[in-house]
Amino acid sequence: MSPRLTLDTLSSLPPDVTVPRYDRKTLETGIVHIGLGAFHRAHQAVYTEDAMNREAGPWGICGVSLRSPETRDALAPQDGLYTVAVRDAGGERLRVVGSVIESLVAPEDPAAVLERLTRPTVRIVTVTVTEKGYCHEPATGALNESHPGILHDLANPDRPQTLPGFLVEALDRRRRAGIPAFTVLSCDNLPTNGEVAAGILRRFAELRDPELGRWIEENVACPSSMVDRIVPATTDEDRASVARRLGAEDAWPVMTEPFSQWVIEDRFPAGRPAWELEGAQMVEDVRPFELMKLRLLNGSHSCIAYLGYLAGYETVSQTVSDPAFRRLIGRLMDEEVTPTLSMPDGVDLTGYKAALLERFSNPALKHRTWQIAMDGTQKLPQRLLGAIRERLAAGASIDRLALGVAAWMRYATGTDERGQPIDVRDPMAARLAELAAEAGPDAERLATALFGLSAVFGDDLPRDPRFTGPVTDALRHLYAQGARATVEAMG
Ligand code: CS2
């Protein structure tokens, strides 16, 4: 058996594996990252690693998992080091990243997390907690004040469980100690994610103490950012192949594609690493980039996930190798999404969309449709419904966007086209199952029941027959013909 990847084994890795060039042992914590998943490790942690390779700086990352100990258990015995495997049809490139110097598991030791967040050296808190981690109403972006985690954290400020609970308590401690606030940088797939973060922090703080709410509003910068890199869940096969190439065991390498993009609103009063030297785009207004990415990439991804899964495809690349699917996604992007975007000069949307189809086709990434299908109630609003609202306001057609919504409904019933159960993962899974059971396999009844989820659809869309009509028709088609034939007919 090969040795474990650690600081001591770094020097014996094959010469084509890139390793940290800065002095890892003296690095101090300048960033706390909440939500230590594969995405962070393949994206922001790599930009920070590159920035420190260029110029050593006090930007070590303390990664925090809000739920499970798995990442910490994998990384702690290997000094926080892990491998990023960049894969495409041409092969694989490996690098070992060292920017995550420590990992904590919040439920095991919330006090330690608060202690790190309160350190004066910590100047930035980056966040990837997925949509549901904001404890907000997906349709409006406002804090969900009856969320059980929020109620818990209001009652127990010293032992928080949620993102707003941790950040507000830490900011309060900093305020009392005269330590300047950190900047909160959301890196989740939400439009105006900085504003959403600012809104939930302010509201949560206000509920604790109006004075604290005001202080946070005046002192905490929450720039928005658009993040993009496809990072499928790591499999045991990936672990084994990385260990073979590395000649060392890495308990949790991350798999990704060559493409990476980060567009950041440049508002960091307490300073930041020189991410722009490593390819990050610092801009004044991120919004057009967010809408471009959420609607073209993530919107297409969700359609591929629900329709592809129902058609029996396991991965994104399998799905888009079916010409009917490729056509459908191409037309969805060109005819229904592109007209809703208005990009700054110099952005080549045609090239962006062509590159997306290539990225989806990457045969070296086994990105499961089931993985992307998770959390549909949290994802639909920004991926499909925003574009739908704008199309309807312009009096334009929404047939393919509506098919995406209908495919989610069909998927959310929890039974596939061959009568087999689907493992539906969603914070509202229990409610979805109830509604589906009541409706039975009847398009009209199912659609009507699901339109009643105002946290997803708001109050406007369910009342608009130009929305409910095409979604219900598409759902009827899905029940009658199945996903593959429906895609063929509409592509
Ligand atoms: C995907 C995203 O799982 C999903 O919902 O659509 O994780 C997607 O791969 C990333 O946003 C790409 O940047």
Side-chain angles (χ1 to χ4, degrees):
M1 172 134 163
S2 358
R4 190 78 178 250
L5 172 66
T6 59
L7 286 173
D8 292 336
T9 50
L10 262 188
S11 56
S12 45
L13 299 180
D16 61 340
V17 176
T18 317
V19 298
R21 290 200 300 269
Y22 50 90
D23 182 1
R24 180 64 166 40
K25 291 197 169 110
T26 59
L27 204 57
E28 56 177 89
T29 304
I31 299 176
V32 173
H33 180 77
I34 314 274
L36 185 57
F39 182 72
H40 170 71
R41 295 197 283 137
H43 190 274
Q44 304 98 62
V46 172
Y47 284 86
T48 300
E49 172 86 353
D50 285 338
M52 292 194 297
N53 273 335
R54 184 184 293 264
E55 186 180 61
W59 298 112
I61 301 170
C62 166
V64 177
S65 299
L66 283 185
R67 291 191 302 209
S68 92
E70 286 173 322
T71 310
R72 190 275 321 273
D73 291 349
L75 297 191
Q78 46 197 57
D79 298 319
L81 299 172
Y82 63 90
T83 315
V84 175
V86 177
R87 293 179 165 177
D88 65 8
E92 181 184 62
R93 216 161 23 83
L94 299 187
R95 69 180 295 181
V96 171
V97 171
S99 53
V100 179
I101 53 178
E102 179 187 34
S103 27
L104 300 176
V105 183
E108 281 178 12
D109 195 353
V113 176
L114 288 169
E115 191 277 327
R116 298 309 182 279
L117 286 167
T118 315
R119 282 189 190 171
T121 58
V122 169
R123 290 184 277 161
I124 301 177
V125 175
T126 50
V127 179
T128 54
V129 290
T130 79
E131 300 83 352
K132 59 182 178 286
Y134 290 78
C135 311
H136 69 315
E137 292 278 343
T140 62
L143 185 72
N144 173 358
E145 294 177 24
S146 54
H147 187 290
I150 295 299
L151 295 174
H152 172 276
D153 289 1
L154 286 170
N156 305 276
D158 284 351
R159 284 181 293 113
Q161 297 173 343
T162 68
L163 175 75
F166 273 106
L167 296 191
V168 168
E169 174 62 14
L171 286 163
D172 188 32
R173 292 184 187 187
R174 293 176 83 105
R175 173 178 72 127
R176 290 170 192 279
I179 303 167
F182 43 66
T183 299
V184 177
L185 178 60
S186 167
C187 302
D188 279 299
N189 283 321
L190 292 166
T192 58
N193 50 15
E195 279 170 40
V196 173
I200 58 152
L201 293 181
R202 190 186 53 238
R203 182 65 193 144
F204 182 86
E206 258 167 28
L207 292 171
R208 278 185 48 175
D209 164 11
E211 179 60 28
L212 179 60
R214 261 193 305 279
W215 187 84
I216 287 187
E217 180 161 23
E218 282 161 18
N219 291 278
V220 184
C222 298
S224 285
S225 82
M226 178 271 250
V227 291
D228 188 7
R229 197 167 206 189
I230 294 177
V231 190
T234 305
T235 63
D236 288 340
E237 202 183 318
D238 297 327
R239 280 187 186 85
S241 94
V242 167
R244 267 194 308 276
R245 283 222 28 218
L246 218 52
E249 299 287 331
D250 178 348
W252 208 337
V254 292
M255 306 295 122
T256 190
E257 58 176 343
F259 184 92
S260 183
Q261 189 176 15
W262 199 5
V263 187
I264 310 172
E265 186 188 341
D266 201 359
R267 222 152 35 83
F268 292 81
R272 60 168 173 80
W275 289 316
E276 75 282 10
L277 300 180
E278 312 309 328
Q281 295 158 258
M282 310 303 300
V283 299
E284 250 172 55
D285 183 9
V286 183
R287 199 169 159 80
F289 296 94
E290 289 179 324
L291 294 182
M292 170 186 82
K293 193 260 173 171
L294 287 166
R295 292 181 182 176
L296 289 173
L297 189 156
N298 298 110
S300 300
H301 243 179
S302 289
C303 292
I304 291 169
Y306 299 118
L307 290 164
Y309 185 98
L310 292 168
Y313 291 123
E314 199 188 341
T315 66
V316 173
S317 62
Q318 280 169 4
T319 312
V320 297
S321 69
D322 178 333
F325 273 85
R326 215 178 160 90
R327 229 175 16 248
L328 177 88
I329 297 303
R331 292 188 63 188
L332 170 84
M333 294 200 286
D334 289 341
E335 295 171 25
E336 297 185 13
V337 178
T338 304
T340 70
L341 303 174
S342 114
M343 301 307 296
D345 288 347
V347 176
D348 167 18
L349 274 185
T350 308
Y352 182 82
K353 288 183 282 186
L356 272 184
L357 284 171
E358 282 317 296
R359 293 171 63 197
F360 292 158
S361 308
N362 186 338
L365 289 186
K366 306 272 177 277
H367 202 182
R368 293 178 67 195
T369 47
W370 175 81
Q371 185 186 351
I372 300 167
M374 280 189 228
D375 294 348
T377 58
Q378 314 294 300
K379 291 175 175 173
L380 246 43
Q382 56 278 7
R383 294 181 177 208
L384 300 175
L385 304 180
I388 286 178
R389 283 194 176 87
E390 287 175 32
R391 296 281 293 167
L392 292 177
S397 64
I398 57 161
D399 296 338
R400 291 171 190 81
L401 290 160
L403 174 60
V405 177
W408 166 73
M409 291 180 163
R410 178 66 188 80
Y411 180 93
T413 63
T415 306
D416 74 11
E417 293 181 356
R418 284 160 299 128
Q420 298 302 309
I422 304 175
D423 180 4
V424 177
R425 303 279 175 94
D426 193 290
M428 297 173 81
R431 182 84 189 111
L432 294 174
E434 242 170 57
L435 292 172
E438 275 165 33
D442 177 290
E444 183 101 33
R445 290 181 56 184
L446 178 65
T448 308
L450 294 174
F451 289 144
L453 296 172
S454 60
V456 180
F457 294 107
D459 300 323
D460 55 338
L461 290 176
R463 280 203 299 260
D464 190 337
R466 295 172 310 157
F467 170 69
T468 56
V471 174
T472 312
D473 285 347
L475 188 55
R476 219 176 271 124
H477 212 290
L478 285 174
Y479 268 117
Q481 316 278 322
R484 176 67 188 54
T486 305
V487 169
E488 182 80 57
M490 291 190 64

